[in-house]
Amino acid sequence: IATRALMDGKHKLKVEVQDASFKKNVTTKEVNFIVDNVPLRAAFVTSDLLHKVFQGKTFHVQFQVNKPIKNAHIEILSKKYSCIQEAENSFIYECFVPISSDENPNEYIFTITVTDFVGNETTLSSKLQIIMFPFKKQYLSVSQAKLKSEEEVGLPEKQFEEDMRRLAHESSPKKLWSSAFYVPCDMSDVTTPFGTLRTTQERGKYRHDALDLIAPPKSVIWASQDGIVVLKERYVHSGNTVVLDHGCGVLSAYFHLDSFADIKMGDFVKKGKPLGRLGMTGYATGYHLHWEIRVNNIPVDPMQWTRHDF
């Protein structure tokens, strides 16, 4: 079949075979195939030769293609991440790469591989510079009575981490959000910035890869973005907890809730819908919201996701 004489797009080939018997038996076979005679091209949306990002942030990269593609992925920091369409029917694709707070500051080469529907490939390469961030330090103490009471009603932290790994793996492949995220409460202050090195008598020294937000006690906590309720549970360290799946491995978590809103597992909630009320359940010394965003189960700074230019 001379495919160059056919229009680009989907086609169907139907084959009919008849034997020479008295009854002239007939069988048919249909085959779907795609014709694509357009050379595959791709280019970065920005012309930066060196992309820069701080530790603990999300590296957001975009590129444009000249036709529909089958898939694309980026290889960076010895890992592979899938690229997604910026919006339905768009020729702009993007990827959100989580940069751990502990990632070594350095320059790294990354490569994007784009594949069309007939197997042609093209690649884009550039450099990413990870910059050291001056994370703060914090000392905290939780009373033994508080710890004991929480251990009696909540699941262990180990169980939460296992649940988060599972949820990241099961995340919807579809991008469920658009535009910037909301700050999920009427906050008056940030008591613990993202990435703070926290020291406690109970848990030793660890990095607090989330934001602690202050708002009026028992005030409403809402969804920071459209998503699916994939976790509604109580844990020892986080108290009453809600986790939303926003698709493509992006999850947001809300800790220490005083109570839950009228939501249930599997609900699709719109940005701004109530999830519960601000509390101090779990390892909390006062009323606040622990707000966390993870990309492929790596925590990243949530405030970056609230920017309209992100």
Side-chain angles (χ1 to χ4, degrees):
I1 299 175
T3 57
R4 289 192 177 278
L6 299 176
M7 293 181 60
D8 288 346
K10 295 181 180 180
H11 295 267
K12 180 182 292 184
L13 172 67
K14 183 176 181 180
V15 179
E16 182 177 296
V17 181
Q18 184 182 81
D19 67 13
S21 66
F22 174 74
K23 293 185 177 181
K24 296 183 179 179
N25 299 306
V26 176
T27 186
T28 60
K29 177 73 173 181
E30 291 187 355
V31 178
N32 295 311
F33 65 99
I34 295 175
V35 173
D36 185 354
N37 292 311
V38 177
L40 176 61
R41 296 187 178 91
F44 288 112
V45 171
T46 62
S47 58
D48 298 336
L49 298 177
L50 179 63
H51 303 263
K52 297 181 180 181
V53 65
F54 280 110
Q55 292 171 306
K57 304 292 186 181
T58 305
F59 173 43
H60 181 206
V61 60
Q62 293 182 309
F63 61 94
Q64 187 168 7
V65 293
N66 64 324
K67 62 179 181 178
I69 61 171
K70 184 177 182 181
N71 57 59
H73 67 268
I74 182 172
E75 294 182 63
I76 185 172
L77 301 172
S78 302
K79 295 181 180 179
K80 183 186 291 187
Y81 299 94
S82 296
C83 301
I84 57 175
Q85 279 181 298
E86 179 189 41
E88 189 176 359
N89 299 321
S90 173
F91 280 178
I92 295 178
Y93 282 71
E94 60 188 353
C95 190
F96 298 88
V97 179
I99 307 299
S100 169
S101 301
D102 296 316
E103 191 61 64
N104 185 38
N106 209 335
E107 282 190 10
Y108 300 89
I109 295 176
F110 66 90
T111 301
I112 297 174
T113 302
V114 184
T115 307
D116 67 14
F117 284 99
V118 292
N120 297 314
E121 288 188 353
T122 188
T123 59
L124 298 170
S125 294
S126 190
K127 291 182 179 180
L128 173 68
Q129 181 180 8
I130 298 178
I131 306 170
M132 181 179 292
F133 190 85
F135 295 111
K136 294 186 177 182
K137 295 182 179 180
Q138 183 185 65
Y139 298 88
L140 187 68
S141 179
V142 181
S143 71
Q144 291 298 318
K146 174 69 167 172
L147 293 174
K148 186 175 181 180
S149 65
E150 291 297 335
E151 288 171 356
E152 292 175 353
V153 295
L155 296 172
E157 183 177 0
K158 180 180 178 180
Q159 181 63 54
F160 173 76
E161 292 300 333
E162 290 177 357
D163 291 339
M164 291 299 285
R165 281 192 292 271
R166 173 180 55 82
L167 294 173
H169 178 72
E170 296 174 352
S171 177
S172 170
K174 183 179 179 181
K175 181 181 177 183
L176 303 177
W177 82 94
S178 62
S179 73
F181 279 52
Y182 283 161
V183 175
C185 65
D186 188 15
M187 76 166 188
S188 58
D189 197 9
V190 177
T191 58
T192 307
F194 179 85
T196 297
L197 283 170
R198 177 180 283 175
T199 302
T200 69
Q201 292 296 321
E202 300 77 27
R203 302 179 66 190
K205 191 170 187 176
Y206 64 97
R207 195 178 291 282
H208 185 267
D209 281 335
L211 293 175
D212 282 350
L213 309 179
I214 294 297
K218 299 187 180 182
S219 58
V220 64
I221 302 300
W222 51 76
S224 57
Q225 188 53 265
D226 295 356
I228 301 169
V229 179
V230 290
L231 193 64
K232 178 186 174 186
E233 190 55 89
R234 181 158 184 158
Y235 297 89
V236 172
H237 73 298
S238 59
N240 289 330
T241 303
V242 172
V243 175
L244 301 181
D245 176 20
H246 307 289
C248 305
V250 179
L251 303 172
S252 62
Y254 311 80
F255 289 7
H256 310 307
L257 300 180
D258 181 77
S259 59
F260 296 111
D262 184 20
I263 56 173
K264 60 182 182 295
M265 296 280 288
D267 282 355
F268 180 83
V269 297
K270 299 291 290 183
K271 180 166 68 171
K273 179 179 174 62
L275 301 177
R277 295 193 175 273
L278 184 138
M280 54 180 294
T281 56
Y283 289 176
T285 57
Y287 280 92
H288 74 280
L289 173 69
H290 169 114
W291 179 36
E292 188 172 318
I293 288 182
R294 297 191 186 189
V295 180
N296 285 52
N297 207 34
I298 296 177
V300 292
D301 185 0
M303 278 302 182
Q304 184 185 14
W305 288 72
T306 66
R307 287 170 24 196
H308 290 278
D309 60 347
F310 172 56

